[in-house]
Amino acid sequence: MFYCICSLVIPTECYRHYPQPSKDVIASLFVFGDSLFDAGNNNYINTSGQANYYPYGETFFKYPSGRFCDGRIIPDFIAEYAKLPFIPPYLYPGNHNFKYGVNFASAGSGALTETRQGIAIDLKTQLDYFKNVSNQLKQQMGYADAKILLSKAVYIFSVGSNDYSFPFDTNTTILDSYTTEQYVGMVIGNITEVIQEIYKIGGRKFGFLSLGRLGCSPSGRVLEGGHSGACFEKLTPFVKLHNRQLSMLLKELYTKLKGFKYSLVDFYSFAEERINHPSKYGFKEGKVACCGSGPYRGHASCGGRRGEKEYELCENVTDYVFFDFAHPTEKVNGQFATEAWSGKPGFSGTYNLKALFKSK
């Protein structure tokens, strides 16, 4: 069996598992955000926030592809449903074909430039990358055809989690300078600017995840002390206000921007359900990670490359909701993508993702 050790570059052979595009491709897919969506961009920047080593990728790809997961992440499933190939990372060397879209997401990134600055690609830089791609598409396809592609494309986002978690796990004092409302307002403000910029370039269809139950991840429980079993509830007011503000923003843009369409999928309730009632959804463990060390395996030690060399790895990853300290298993990602695609049970907006892709 062929294994790819993806440290600086991913050999072309590593993509042999990637499905080819169908003749029934619905629309292109452009991906923005953080580690829930990063398909390997962090492999190509100087950061400790990488997942290019075993056991990441062990179940589906059989090699570490740079995804913070044992296998596929949510955009991989969405691409499959849309009859697309897996969407490659923007920084993948030699990738100049953006016809089906591209992935800009970076593990650790946030809407604020200050969030994990220097070790992740923030949202505004991802926007700059998208502007580069839109210009290249215009050169390759001609202005008219590129404009049609960009207007039919779907733009999906997972952003905000790091903006709220990093002040607590890095002991920065940034939150001392702002109220909860002010800080969330800055995050939402930056997201607003990025959406508006993409809209100006031609984007019309946007898909968003609400933030999940951040304080109840294995790493969140470590922040709370790790032994009481409690979630780290200091994050909760930020998460809940962010989710409300994001919903209000998208509704406002829908009324103000001609042709603007969106889907907002409730990741908070989805995650909370599986954490609290794992057996209801085919899991055995909703609190402890499959891979890691410390209480709840909540230390970021999976793979032994981030300060702690010793770590534990579960025997059956499909029993677990969390693969590592903060990221879902492929099984969870697949369940979420299926619900987001169909719109059941929790989504708001003008369309579920399937209808968003097919809308004109």
Side-chain angles (χ1 to χ4, degrees):
M1 181 176 291
F2 182 87
Y3 286 85
C4 300
I5 305 303
C6 308
S7 54
L8 296 177
V9 297
I10 304 178
T12 302
E13 179 68 9
C14 279
Y15 284 104
R16 67 190 179 91
H17 292 295
Y18 281 28
Q20 294 302 304
S22 164
K23 294 179 180 179
D24 303 319
V25 165
I26 304 173
S28 305
L29 178 61
F30 294 94
V31 182
F32 299 81
D34 51 32
S35 55
L36 287 182
F37 280 10
D38 186 356
N41 279 305
N42 275 22
N43 290 351
Y44 309 105
I45 65 174
N46 183 20
T47 178
S48 61
Q50 296 175 328
N52 53 5
Y53 46 84
Y54 180 85
Y56 289 107
E58 64 174 356
T59 56
F60 181 81
F61 298 101
K62 307 301 181 185
Y63 62 86
S65 68
R67 293 162 171 81
F68 277 84
C69 186
D70 60 291
R72 289 163 290 183
I73 53 176
I74 292 168
D76 296 326
F77 289 100
I78 298 301
E80 183 179 344
Y81 289 143
K83 311 298 183 183
L84 290 162
F86 288 176
I87 307 302
Y90 173 74
L91 295 180
Y92 175 63
N95 178 32
H96 303 295
N97 179 12
F98 305 118
K99 180 180 178 181
Y100 302 111
V102 68
N103 186 318
F104 305 104
S106 169
S109 72
L112 302 178
T113 305
E114 297 80 7
T115 297
R116 308 196 193 283
Q117 192 168 15
I119 60 171
I121 306 163
D122 66 273
L123 187 61
K124 289 193 174 180
T125 302
Q126 293 178 35
L127 173 65
D128 290 338
Y129 291 163
F130 171 68
K131 290 178 179 178
N132 293 340
V133 167
S134 66
N135 289 331
Q136 289 185 56
L137 285 170
K138 289 170 186 175
Q139 293 172 3
Q140 293 169 358
M141 304 174 64
Y143 181 86
D145 287 343
K147 187 175 181 180
I148 292 171
L149 184 151
L150 294 171
S151 67
K152 289 184 176 180
V154 173
Y155 304 81
I156 60 172
F157 292 77
S158 168
V159 63
S161 295
N162 289 296
D163 293 304
Y164 304 117
S165 62
F166 103 95
F168 294 103
D169 61 35
T170 59
N171 295 318
T172 179
T173 59
I174 187 171
L175 294 181
D176 296 341
S177 303
Y178 303 99
T179 65
T180 302
E181 290 75 15
Q182 289 172 332
Y183 192 77
V184 173
M186 292 192 302
V187 174
I188 295 294
N190 280 14
I191 292 172
T192 305
E193 291 178 18
V194 169
I195 295 173
Q196 291 173 330
E197 284 294 310
I198 294 173
Y199 180 87
K200 288 179 184 176
I201 294 170
R204 293 296 183 268
K205 306 177 188 179
F206 295 82
F208 275 85
L209 276 65
S210 72
L211 298 186
R213 194 70 167 90
L214 302 183
C216 293
S217 67
S219 60
R221 294 181 194 276
V222 169
L223 283 174
E224 186 56 32
H227 299 289
S228 66
C231 302
F232 186 66
E233 295 297 356
K234 289 182 180 179
L235 279 167
T236 304
F238 293 94
V239 170
K240 288 189 172 181
L241 182 57
H242 175 98
N243 288 344
R244 289 197 300 272
Q245 294 286 350
L246 179 60
S247 178
M248 291 169 60
L249 166 66
L250 294 172
K251 289 177 182 176
E252 180 182 358
L253 293 176
Y254 176 64
T255 62
K256 289 185 176 180
L257 301 179
K258 183 180 179 181
F260 181 86
K261 306 175 181 72
Y262 76 94
S263 180
L264 175 59
V265 192
D266 184 5
F267 193 60
Y268 187 96
S269 298
F270 174 92
E272 187 172 53
E273 271 288 299
R274 282 154 181 79
I275 291 168
N276 293 336
H277 311 288
S279 61
K280 186 177 175 181
Y281 302 94
F283 302 96
K284 293 182 179 178
E285 178 55 65
K287 297 178 181 178
V288 178
C290 169
C291 184
S293 61
Y296 298 92
R297 293 179 185 152
H299 294 176
S301 58
C302 183
R305 298 280 189 90
R306 302 182 71 184
E308 294 183 42
K309 292 185 178 181
E310 300 297 324
Y311 67 95
E312 298 174 331
L313 182 64
C314 68
E315 291 186 6
N316 189 356
V317 68
T318 60
D319 288 340
Y320 287 74
V321 170
F322 288 98
F323 180 64
D324 68 3
F325 63 100
H327 306 103
T329 58
E330 178 186 80
K331 184 176 175 180
V332 172
N333 288 333
Q335 288 183 0
F336 180 79
T338 298
E339 291 193 5
W341 187 256
S342 66
K344 298 177 182 179
F347 89 101
S348 61
T350 51
Y351 299 90
N352 58 34
L353 278 181
K354 180 179 180 180
L356 192 67
F357 269 93
K358 292 188 173 183
S359 64
K360 294 182 179 180

